[in-house]
Amino acid sequence: NPIEKYIQYIKPYFASSELVHISNEVSIDDTCSYAGMRLSFLTKTKHMDVLKALRANIIELTGNHNVDRGIPPYLKALNWYRQNDMKYFGGGANAQEANMPLILTLKDSTRIAWIGFNERCPLGECAGNGPGANRYSDAKAKSMIDSLRKMGINTIIACIQFSEVDGYTPHTAQRIISKRLIDYGADILIGSQAHVVQEIGMHKGKMLFYGTGNFLFDQTYKPEVRRAFFLQCAFYKGRLILTKPVYTYMRSTKEPDIASSQEREIIRDSILKEENF
């Protein structure tokens, strides 16, 4: 099974989680050809099964490339998520749906919300008159967080597709927006855009993950794009009490793998800076 081979090194980490959140920016067209696709993304339905194999049940749609090939592939992907019991946020069939937070009730009856935005929409990928990602604005974010707090939501997870930088250091707008979202009342910030893993910080005692790097992607042209991490999170009585990075390194065969001790130290040295805490 090609999919099982592809995720063989990371799959055990996803075997028992109640919730698995993955940001995906590839829509579906079974007639697509991968040859020469480069920076315009599509996939075939059968290859979406990698999300099922990792037990994903929360799909983030803040990405830049979901409408690369037009509206029908995007709507087909939304339908596929629904058919496979995957909730999505940060994008949708129209601007209203794209701006809807995802609220889930845990087994202990506490509630968690995910909110998602795209900072710049550089490829025209944001929802307006049609489908796409949720365009960021301060006013929209503050209104959404205020509403969730009034509803008594226990934890708010904010995710943003920032404009990309080719380096470990987040740009000024990332830092400002991330801290602003915490000020508004979010409990954690996760940047979804980074092809090069970025620094980790803290603001008012809450974690800022400016960019987690590549996960299920095919870049191997330099070591920086092969380094990344995903987060193992724990909740207690609706509160986020643990965010543990699991460091990864993309093999030359483009299979994500758990980082060696040497690579893990390189990543940690690159993203853990005293001044960010």
Side-chain angles (χ1 to χ4, degrees), residues 145-164:
I145 293 171
D146 285 346
S147 175
L148 291 168
R149 285 298 175 206
K150 287 174 183 174
M151 292 170 61
I153 300 299
N154 299 89
T155 296
I156 299 173
I157 299 168
C159 304
I160 296 196
Q161 178 95 1
F162 291 107
S163 53
E164 294 170 19

Side-chain angles (χ1 to χ4, degrees), residues 32-38 42-45 47:
C32 73
S33 170
Y34 296 144
M37 188 172 285
R38 296 183 65 79
L42 277 177
T43 194
K44 299 180 189 295
T45 303
H47 294 137

Side-chain angles (χ1 to χ4, degrees), residues 72-123:
Y74 186 75
L75 296 179
K76 186 169 184 176
L78 296 186
N79 190 51
W80 187 89
Y81 298 135
R82 289 190 290 266
Q83 289 175 345
N84 288 280
D85 296 320
M86 298 180 188
K87 309 292 186 183
Y88 56 80
F89 74 99
N94 51 58
Q96 182 179 3
E97 184 180 54
N99 193 47
M100 288 283 290
L102 171 61
I103 301 171
L104 295 182
T105 302
L106 302 186
K107 293 176 180 176
D108 63 0
S109 298
T110 57
R111 291 184 295 171
I112 298 175
W114 282 257
I115 62 175
F117 305 93
N118 186 302
E119 181 200 0
R120 292 280 186 86
C121 310
L123 305 179

Side-chain angles (χ1 to χ4, degrees), residues 21-23 60 62 89 113-117 156-162 174 177-179 181-182 186-194 198-201 206-213 229-233 235 240 242-243:
H21 160 198
I22 294 178
S23 176
E60 180 183 339
T62 61
F89 74 99
W114 282 257
I115 62 175
F117 305 93
I156 299 173
I157 299 168
C159 304
I160 296 196
Q161 178 95 1
F162 291 107
Q174 273 182 275
I177 292 171
S178 297
K179 292 175 181 177
L181 286 169
I182 299 298
D187 295 292
I188 184 174
L189 184 286
I190 304 173
S192 310
Q193 78 295 332
Q198 291 189 298
E199 294 171 9
I200 295 173
K206 296 180 179 180
M207 296 302 300
L208 308 173
F209 296 96
Y210 288 113
T212 56
F229 64 86
F230 58 84
L231 291 172
Q232 291 183 317
C233 301
F235 297 85
L240 179 61
L242 172 71
T243 50

